[in-house]
Amino acid sequence: MVSNQTASTMEIETVPSEAKLLPQKPKFEPLKPHEMSDGEIQFRKVNVPPHRYTPLKKAWMDIYTPIFEQMKIDVRMNLKARRVELKTRTDTPDISNLQKCADFVHAFMLGFDVIDAIALLRLDELYVESFEIKDVKTLRGDHLSRAIGRLSGKGGKTKFAIENASKTRIVIADTKIHILGSFANIKIARDSLCSLILGSPAGKVYSKLRAVTARLAERF
């Protein structure tokens, strides 16, 4: 009796359920860059400081050509407002190109050469960091002048050594310091410059730089 019951329970027919018909996935065409912002044209404006007006005139074509031809961004110099104005076009391949171009122009205004600043258009992981000497240590008068002298070194030797070792570019504009490079490299250059401001001799900074760059070379 028990065996009959078990047999009846085992003989359960599995009725195949009808395959549910799913609706087809919608196919959307990829949005064009100018459609991402609801067709609105985006702008960026970069002010031109008085001391960079003449260098901008001389290097205008070097700045204009990569922005207009390669990044597909419209650029003009507003002489009345004394600022460089950038805006997107309908054929701009990527909306982020506008910010890259604004960073490129801003880097030039800070004092970087066009050859160095143009790397901001080519590479993604590059930044510009700025700080003042007084952010590190409050110095006045001759003490401040000596600190600026220590940063540059004789004929710019110290500055070039830090640039080459950390693969960055440094601009020392009075008491302001601007560093262009990747995040890790900016940190190395900034630490070296801060040590010099605080009074470390150049020889000590060089030896520390050598140790840090050797460690970086082993890592990559």
Side-chain angles (χ1 to χ4, degrees), residues 60-171:
W60 178 251
M61 285 313 294
D62 295 333
I63 293 167
Y64 174 86
T65 307
I67 291 175
F68 185 79
E69 292 182 2
Q70 293 161 25
M71 306 301 276
K72 309 286 186 199
I73 296 287
D74 279 340
V75 57
R76 73 173 184 181
M77 175 68 196
N78 189 330
L79 293 169
K80 197 174 182 182
R82 285 218 167 186
R83 62 187 175 204
V84 177
E85 297 177 349
L86 305 144
K87 76 179 179 75
T88 53
R89 294 167 17 194
T90 50
D91 62 337
T92 304
D94 191 353
I95 209 77
S96 66
N97 285 4
L98 181 64
Q99 188 57 47
K100 280 184 183 177
C101 292
D103 291 341
F104 164 54
V105 175
H106 180 62
F108 179 79
M109 298 308 167
L110 292 177
F112 292 100
D113 291 334
V114 176
I115 301 164
D116 298 328
I118 208 165
L120 287 161
L121 300 181
R122 308 272 186 270
L123 305 168
D124 289 332
E125 300 298 316
L126 284 186
Y127 309 95
V128 176
E129 186 171 317
S130 304
F131 66 95
E132 289 194 51
I133 290 173
K134 69 179 181 184
D135 297 338
V136 182
K137 192 179 182 182
T138 307
L139 297 168
R140 291 185 185 86
D142 290 343
H143 297 291
L144 181 60
S145 303
R146 279 195 290 273
I148 295 167
R150 276 200 305 277
L151 292 175
S152 294
K154 188 178 180 181
K157 189 177 76 171
T158 308
K159 182 173 83 84
F160 293 140
I162 294 170
E163 283 180 343
N164 293 335
S166 61
K167 294 176 185 170
T168 56
R169 286 290 173 269
I170 299 165
V171 167

Side-chain angles (χ1 to χ4, degrees), residues 161-211:
I162 294 170
E163 283 180 343
N164 293 335
S166 61
K167 294 176 185 170
T168 56
R169 286 290 173 269
I170 299 165
V171 167
I172 300 168
D174 195 19
T175 60
K176 289 190 177 71
I177 298 161
H178 313 291
I179 310 170
L180 168 69
S182 67
F183 185 78
N185 293 344
I186 284 174
K187 187 180 183 303
I188 294 166
R190 191 180 61 229
D191 290 347
S192 301
L193 292 168
C194 289
S195 299
L196 288 166
I197 292 166
L198 293 168
S200 294
K204 195 175 181 183
V205 173
Y206 290 158
S207 58
K208 197 174 177 183
L209 258 178
R210 272 195 294 271

